[in-house]
Amino acid sequence: MRRIISRISTASADFAANAAHHRAIAADLAERQRSAREDRPERDRERLARQGKMGLRERLAALLDPGTPFLELSTLAAGRAYGGEVPGAGQLTGIGIVGGREVMVRADDPAVKGGAWYPHSVKKIVRALDIAIENRLPVVHLCDSAGGFLPLQADFFPDRYHAGRIFRNQSILSKLAVPQVAIVMGHCTAGGAYIPALSDYSVIVRGTGAVFLGGPPLVKAATGEVVSVDELGGADMHTSVSGVADYPAASEAHAIALAREVLASLAPRPKTRIDKAAAEPPAYDPEELYGILPRDPRTQFDMREVIARIADGSRFHEYQPAFGTTLVCGFARIWGYKVGILANNGVLFSESALKGTHFIQLCDKDRTPLLFLQNITGFMVGRDYERGGITKDGAKMIMAVSGASVPKFTVNANASYGAGTYGMAGRAFDSRFLFSWPHAQVGVMGAEQAANVLTEVKMRQLAREERTLGEAEAAAIREPILAEYADKASAWHATSELWDDGILDPVATRNALGIAISAALNAPIDDPAHYGVFRM
């Protein structure tokens, strides 16, 4: 592979202005993440201390192998929901190393509403277990929840991807022989009781851990029986009488040590082998990404410059460089792993879509994972393009993305609009991981386009009534649409709603992808790929 020759002038005024702009956004991201991880009401901190409990991040640090990386997912989930009072959706999820093996960690945050499950909490848990299923990752559950937040039960209980999906996913993991270890550090009430019951191994802390379908107040209300927490579902009862739990622990530290012993005793599984070489850093400083990215997301830039700051040695073997030039395709390495990259350099034409379709099939044949770098306004529209078959050519690319058997990874690096989101492996297309950069936008179309369309619709309605729309009236229609689209299309909104797996500082992208690719190789790759019908 040849090294990309950067054409960026890092001494230019435009580069400096871009860098200052994006460093400020990265600093804002870091502060939002810090707040979501650390800021908790003092009364909740004091309550946990009185109970002899560790903080959530202390629990995580004790569980993970010292000095190993942790890829936290959806840190800012629910950041714009519930008045901002449920940071991280009350859950911590991510991929870490325990006993030398990659695991999915899923933990309730007892300092957020007592660990109660809100609709976004359930969505985050389900997503974490989906990732575990797709990538065959063992799961460690750190259980400490007050149960479902009952005032919102209609939004998290009855539907297909609501709370029942958690337990369905646990059952599927067991069916796939993917181990799960539950550490019961607080109460596991109602449906939450099934998390330790459905895990292969269950450790429970004496004195604070408890598992029951209905707590003492509910039992009294339902049956009149008066019973203590320990009698109903404490550590000694469940490890010596019911068999719901396997190991009693004297403290949280003891429980975590037992869980680490259990995981260390499990037989290691070989990973799927793909083309891998010794890793090397990019030849260009990833910090330069701040200056490469434009201040205005509508401004075009060359995605090869982004690849040069992510790929090993900044080397890239470009496929069909002179054909369908608005889609850059080619091979690179990230932390030694060979990947096939598809990156947008403009709107997708028929040639771009056909090139992407063919390249995806080549990667499938070669068992090469796919990395999609989104910066797409959509597929080209217009009479001549429709007559030329842009719709069916776009459908070919969507078919190839959907049918690809190799792991897919997606980064929204600037903008992702319309059907271009679909062709570039958006959320609906089962990327193993999808990340956003903090300035990125995602929507059915850009704010200005949406405002223009809706204003035009209104003008046509008025024309039929023989009325005209004045400049002030047109602005009154446009401005709220622009504001709403800008807000709802932002990465902050997308990550709050868990439309991605988290926002990445651009300079952290390479490391996050390295962990994600490594984790994905715990699952087998179907060979060969199977596709549907390509409309010719």
Side-chain angles (χ1 to χ4, degrees), residues 341-417:
I341 298 177
L342 296 91
N344 303 119
N345 256 15
V347 66
L348 290 174
F349 294 88
S350 281
E351 296 86 353
S352 315
L354 292 171
K355 172 180 169 178
T357 301
H358 192 84
F359 182 70
I360 289 168
Q361 291 178 303
L362 291 175
C363 290
D364 245 337
K365 292 287 187 183
D366 198 40
R367 295 167 63 86
T368 300
L370 292 162
L371 171 60
F372 295 82
L373 298 177
Q374 294 180 333
N375 181 24
I376 179 67
T377 55
F379 288 92
M380 192 62 191
V381 297
R383 183 186 61 184
D384 291 344
Y385 300 105
E386 292 294 354
R387 290 171 68 90
I390 184 65
T391 300
K392 71 177 182 180
D393 292 334
K396 292 185 184 78
M397 189 170 177
I398 289 171
M399 184 74 76
V401 170
S402 303
S405 62
V406 294
K408 303 187 292 277
F409 308 89
T410 305
V411 177
N412 184 351
N414 191 56
S416 184
Y417 289 123

Side-chain angles (χ1 to χ4, degrees), residues 178-254:
V178 179
Q180 297 175 77
V181 179
I183 309 176
V184 181
M185 298 168 153
H187 288 187
C188 293
T189 307
Y194 290 114
I195 286 187
L198 287 167
S199 295
D200 300 79
Y201 301 90
S202 180
V203 183
I204 184 169
V205 180
R206 184 177 287 112
T208 55
V211 179
F212 29 58
L213 295 178
L218 180 59
V219 170
K220 182 178 180 181
T223 69
E225 181 183 8
V226 177
V227 62
S228 71
V229 168
D230 281 340
E231 290 175 315
L232 186 63
D236 291 323
M237 192 284 288
H238 276 313
T239 56
S240 64
V241 178
S242 74
V244 168
D246 304 311
Y247 308 99
S251 65
E252 292 192 359
H254 182 209

Side-chain angles (χ1 to χ4, degrees), residues 35 61 135 137 145 170 172 181 252 258 333 339 348 364 445 477:
S35 178
N135 300 288
L137 291 173
S145 173
Q170 284 193 270
I172 295 300
V181 179
E252 292 192 359
L258 286 171
R333 293 188 185 274
V339 296
L348 290 174
D364 245 337
M445 64 179 67
I477 293 173

